[in-house]
Amino acid sequence: MQEAAERADSILEGTFRAIRPGVKWTHGETTVGSCDLSRRRAVMTIISEQRRGGFLGVVERSWRKSGYEITSVNSSRRFPAIYAKSPDGFGIRLSIGGEGQPFFEVATPCVEKSEVAAPTAETDGPNYAGGPIPRPDIHDDFWSAPSPPPRA
């Protein structure tokens, strides 16, 4: 399980490296099942409604470039989501929650049970690990801005 957790963390790291400009994030809860686990991250940068589609597109393109298969897309205007699977069987999800907050989750395939350490990556923003995660509250000049009006 520890090796699978580290692989899940590397999938998340690669995804966040692809998002430009970068966003602030915090660790979500790690959950452990009978033979699998999930790692989570929540984005703390405010993603404006007008930039949400672009954010989803950046992530989807990076996943495809990494060789992940896009297995499903929820095109809901309010709560869109993208689901993917890595070649080695990890399930990956980006879902937009309340107030447009992006949540990432990587679920491992079934692996041999073992102890699992907390993620080692330093959060890029406030660390809310172990407690409730607030709504996004960090402004970014690009991601938080409305799109410019179309040119005439």
Side-chain angles (χ1 to χ4, degrees), residues 56 79-83 93-97 100-105:
L56 290 157
F79 299 115
I82 303 170
Y83 301 85
R93 178 180 72 190
L94 162 58
S95 57
I96 305 296
Q101 187 168 27
F103 293 95
F104 289 85
E105 178 179 358

Side-chain angles (χ1 to χ4, degrees), residues 8 36-37 39 42 70 74-75 83 101 119 135 141 145 150:
D36 60 351
L37 65 100
R39 292 282 214 209
I70 304 302
N74 176 348
S75 56
Y83 301 85
Q101 187 168 27
R135 296 293 188 203
D141 287 344

Side-chain angles (χ1 to χ4, degrees), residues 93-146:
R93 178 180 72 190
L94 162 58
S95 57
I96 305 296
E99 294 184 33
Q101 187 168 27
F103 293 95
F104 289 85
E105 178 179 358
V106 178
T108 70
C110 190
V111 294
E112 186 178 323
K113 193 160 182 74
S114 71
E115 292 294 315
V116 177
T120 58
E122 292 291 324
T123 62
D124 188 5
N127 188 350
Y128 296 104
I133 297 172
R135 296 293 188 203
D137 58 0
I138 299 172
H139 179 83
D140 177 83
D141 287 344
F142 178 79
W143 291 116
S144 306

